Amino acid sequence: MFGASGPVGRAVVERLLGAGWQVLAVSRQPREAGAGLTWLRGELDAPPVLPEAVDAIFSCGPLDAFARWYAGAGLQAPRVVAFGSTSAQAKRDSADAAERALVARLLLAERAVLDTAATRGAAATLLRPTLVYGAGRDASLTRIATLARRWGRFPLPRGATGLRQPVHVDDLAAAAVACLDRPASAGKVYALPGGERLAYREMVARVLGCLDPAPRLLELPPVLFRIAARLGSIMGRGRGLEAVLGRMHSDLVFDDAPARRDLGYTPRAFRPDAAMVTPPPAGGGSDPD
Ligand SMILES: NC(=O)c1ccc[n+]([C@@H]2O[C@H](COP(=O)([O-])OP(=O)(O)OC[C@H]3O[C@@H](n4cnc5c(N)ncnc54)[C@H](OP(=O)(O)O)[C@@H]3O)[C@@H](O)[C@H]2O)c1
């Protein structure tokens, strides 16, 4: 398994261990083994020595590096489950060139994983999460909660009503593990949105509302954010902020019906609590065991 130390990877590891699997995980950092869990030191472009065959390969880290590794890997596995992102769809027409380049890389990598698997007679499934939360390790809602705590308030442009579907890490993990015994998912790409569609401002308001004390949501004229983003981009800081601001008014919604049908996917509604958007204490982010 690759990416096992990330928020999604940890949740997948926990589910696999709970179901009695032995997990072999690759990390760039030294990590402590646990019951059923062995860590190997290495990375996708410089992998450690791996066994000749495993039952399944999970990729919960960078998809492009995984696609490259998998294309050249001698490791036999009848099943491959890899995470990509709904950004492959949502950012296709972005005004930001870096975002369009990301989309191109994601789509190429998805195709490469499916093609490599097909040539080896393996079954691969690609999973595209929306905005991930739940483990206090994400760079979106946890970042918002952290800044809001620091400032005692959180500013948003007025009219940030684009719909979002934040998805909990455990729901993603359940879908990933379900792929192992759902043959209908072979060779397919699934969007994995959260179980509720809500306006961006409501999503942020719920994050603030679960903190104690709850920081205030400050809705300000959008022009102020546009000026700040333009100044930031001239100064070479806050890259991509203009594209992010532009999307706050757009609906980014994805159909979960195929995943419900083929994977038994039943994502939860968005009911964050403080622990879900609070970084674990230093040293408290221990390896899953
Ligand atoms: N977080 C989100 O909001 C979000 C949204 C949509 C899609 N996704 C996708 O969902 C998957 C999981 O997301 P995540 O946020 O849990 O992952 P993540 O934190 O971005 O990455 C997971 C782990 O990947 C490992 N990694 C990074 N570069 C590597 C390399 N070159 N070789 C080997 N391992 C490497 C790192 O582990 P070590 O440090 O232990 O090596 C890292 O902890 C990713 O594919 C991500 O793109 C995430």
Side-chain angles (χ1 to χ4, degrees):
M1 174 159 174
F2 296 95
S5 64
V8 174
R10 284 167 185 258
V12 173
V13 169
E14 269 171 35
R15 283 208 170 240
L16 288 170
L17 295 177
W21 289 87
Q22 297 285 311
V23 178
L24 191 58
V26 176
S27 173
R28 296 164 301 170
Q29 312 298 326
R31 297 184 189 275
E32 266 181 45
L37 173 63
T38 305
W39 288 97
L40 296 177
R41 184 106 183 257
E43 61 179 282
L44 283 155
D45 292 326
V49 177
L50 295 166
E52 277 180 17
V54 293
D55 294 307
I57 304 171
F58 285 85
S59 167
C60 305
L63 184 63
D64 47 359
F66 174 73
R68 272 197 308 276
W69 169 80
Y70 184 45
L75 178 63
Q76 299 292 316
R79 202 68 181 88
V80 176
V81 180
F83 280 94
S85 173
T86 47
S87 295
Q89 255 176 285
K91 295 181 181 166
R92 211 166 25 194
D93 302 319
S94 170
D96 186 291
E99 289 192 346
R100 290 196 306 278
L102 167 74
V103 169
R105 280 205 311 278
L106 281 172
L107 292 173
L108 266 178
E110 285 185 352
R111 191 67 264 154
V113 171
L114 292 173
D115 288 349
T116 304
T119 60
R120 294 180 188 174
T125 304
L126 269 300
L127 302 175
R128 292 176 172 176
T130 49
L131 190 154
V132 177
Y133 76 100
R137 295 173 177 279
D138 61 272
S140 39
L141 299 186
T142 296
R143 177 90 183 125
I144 288 174
T146 301
L147 292 174
R149 272 198 189 95
R150 191 179 303 158
W151 298 334
R153 56 187 66 84
F154 192 80
L156 260 195
R158 210 171 277 141
T161 53
L163 294 176
R164 294 295 183 275
Q165 296 164 291
V167 62
H168 195 283
V169 286
D170 288 338
D171 294 332
L172 296 174
V177 175
C179 290
L180 297 178
D181 47 26
R182 303 277 184 147
S185 63
K188 295 202 184 130
V189 181
Y190 294 93
L192 295 181
E196 187 175 355
R197 295 176 180 198
L198 73 173
Y200 196 101
R201 72 163 303 288
E202 174 62 17
M203 177 177 77
V204 173
R206 285 195 204 172
V207 169
L208 304 188
C210 76
L211 304 178
D212 185 20
R216 222 155 45 87
L217 179 61
L218 270 187
E219 293 183 272
L220 301 172
V223 66
L224 296 179
F225 293 82
R226 283 200 294 273
I227 292 169
R230 180 50 57 90
L231 287 176
S233 97
I234 289 167
M235 291 161 62
R237 295 169 62 179
R239 201 172 52 78
L241 187 56
E242 284 176 300
V244 172
L245 288 170
R247 272 196 298 276
M248 283 185 192
H249 311 280
S250 310
D251 295 343
L252 302 184
V253 293
F254 301 88
D255 184 12
D256 66 4
R260 282 182 184 270
R261 182 193 63 220
D262 293 351
L263 302 175
Y265 183 58
T266 50
R268 72 199 68 185
F270 185 57
R271 299 278 180 268
D273 63 33
M276 293 179 193
V277 291
T278 303
S286 59
D287 304 325
D289 56 19

